[in-house]
Amino acid sequence: VSDSEATSRAFYARLGADGLAGRTRPEWDAQIVAALVELLPATARVLDAGCGYGRVALPLARAGYDVEGLDHSEPLLDAARRAADAARLPARFTRGSLTRLPYESGSFDAAICLWSSFHELLEPDAQTHAIRELSRVLRPGGFGLIEGAPYDEPSENEIATGARRGPENRVVWGHVEGLLNPHFAHDETSLCRLCEAAGVERFQVFERDWGGRQRLFLRIGERGPAA
Ligand SMILES: C[S@@+](CC[C@H](N)C(=O)[O-])C[C@H]1O[C@@H](n2cnc3c(N)ncnc32)[C@H](O)[C@@H]1O
């Protein structure tokens, strides 16, 4: 477990599923699920890597997809499993790390990693492992989709105060409700570098509107309609 994974787990243990759910809105979530349904082939087997409390995994299961959720936060997984049981949805939720996916190679049509789950990995080595893993579990012709906040330039004050630190000042030392929740500020340069290190040759980096805000995407696999 990397330092950043321990920080992330501690953050979500304190924030909880309700605290995380309070940071989104049903209409944004519905737009995101609708966008995914447009991208996903009918009956696709989908991995939601960093699934949280199942914000996206549960509606995808309801829409008929075969969904696996993976997360390293036990409280969030508990919430996802309880919601799946209550709604009698067949989605499965497993505890694990983005850097070591407990699935066979080539077992998913799509692997999604949304709402900055990937960006909580702060170490470039761990990021490379995660990209390699997301690519490994895709079937031929499948695609991976990583989504997070677009890059913003650090100010001199942010660097001086340590609000931006780490490699190329890309670590955003952010807080949510007083709890430490750092993120890595990726852009096309950092994502291309990671794909190269991970040996992933087919990928695209692009920005698009997603649930009402502009977001940065890495799509692994063949070129798709999202770009
Ligand atoms: C902001 S939440 C987003 C949850 C979900 N993707 C969504 O769109 O609702 C970030 C999630 O990523 C998970 N996460 C962060 N780093 C992870 C890692 N290295 N391995 C597994 N899960 C991770 C956290 O536990 C948390 O559930």
Side-chain angles (χ1 to χ4, degrees), residues 1-225:
V1 174
S2 64
D3 285 353
S4 63
E5 287 183 302
T7 303
S8 165
R9 290 221 313 265
F11 170 71
Y12 289 105
R14 299 277 302 277
L15 186 69
D18 289 345
L20 182 56
R23 303 186 60 74
T24 182
R25 291 193 195 162
E27 60 270 28
W28 297 343
D29 300 349
Q31 283 173 26
I32 288 165
V33 171
L36 287 168
V37 166
E38 284 201 8
L39 293 176
L40 291 166
T43 75
R45 182 157 193 253
V46 182
L47 171 63
D48 187 353
C51 61
Y53 60 88
R55 174 180 77 117
V56 169
L58 294 166
L60 287 182
R62 197 169 294 118
Y65 296 103
D66 178 7
V67 180
E68 290 275 349
L70 172 128
D71 204 282
H72 65 185
S73 167
E74 200 57 61
L76 298 189
L77 286 167
D78 272 353
R81 289 184 192 117
R82 272 188 270 113
D85 285 350
R88 300 190 178 186
L89 293 171
R92 292 160 300 274
F93 293 96
T94 302
R95 182 168 175 175
S97 165
L98 294 177
T99 63
R100 288 178 304 280
L101 298 177
Y103 307 104
E104 291 194 4
S105 300
S107 44
F108 292 97
D109 298 296
I112 57 175
C113 187
L114 306 179
W115 198 4
S116 301
S117 300
F118 176 78
H119 296 57
E120 291 187 4
L121 284 171
L122 306 182
E123 304 85 2
D125 271 3
Q127 296 163 4
T128 304
H129 282 301
I131 289 188
R132 194 177 289 134
E133 281 291 87
L134 288 168
S135 170
R136 179 185 65 76
V137 299
L138 294 177
R139 287 184 181 140
F143 70 91
L145 203 60
I146 292 174
E147 172 252 317
Y151 183 83
D152 64 326
E153 281 293 332
S155 67
E156 282 179 19
N157 184 53
E158 284 175 318
I159 295 170
T161 58
R164 289 287 289 259
R165 54 177 83 174
E168 299 171 337
N169 297 309
R170 284 178 183 271
V171 175
V172 183
W173 209 246
H175 291 78
V176 169
E177 306 203 1
L179 305 169
L180 180 63
N181 180 218
H183 286 78
F184 199 91
H186 281 291
D187 60 6
E188 186 160 8
T189 304
S190 64
L191 293 173
C192 289
R193 198 157 51 203
L194 290 175
C195 286
E196 194 177 327
V200 169
E201 287 174 2
R202 291 178 199 279
F203 67 90
Q204 296 162 258
V205 178
F206 55 91
E207 286 191 24
R208 63 165 278 187
D209 181 83
W210 187 252
R213 37 183 198 166
Q214 195 68 10
R215 302 293 276 177
L216 178 73
F217 288 81
L218 169 64
R219 180 180 167 120
I220 297 169
E222 299 299 330
R223 181 170 284 274

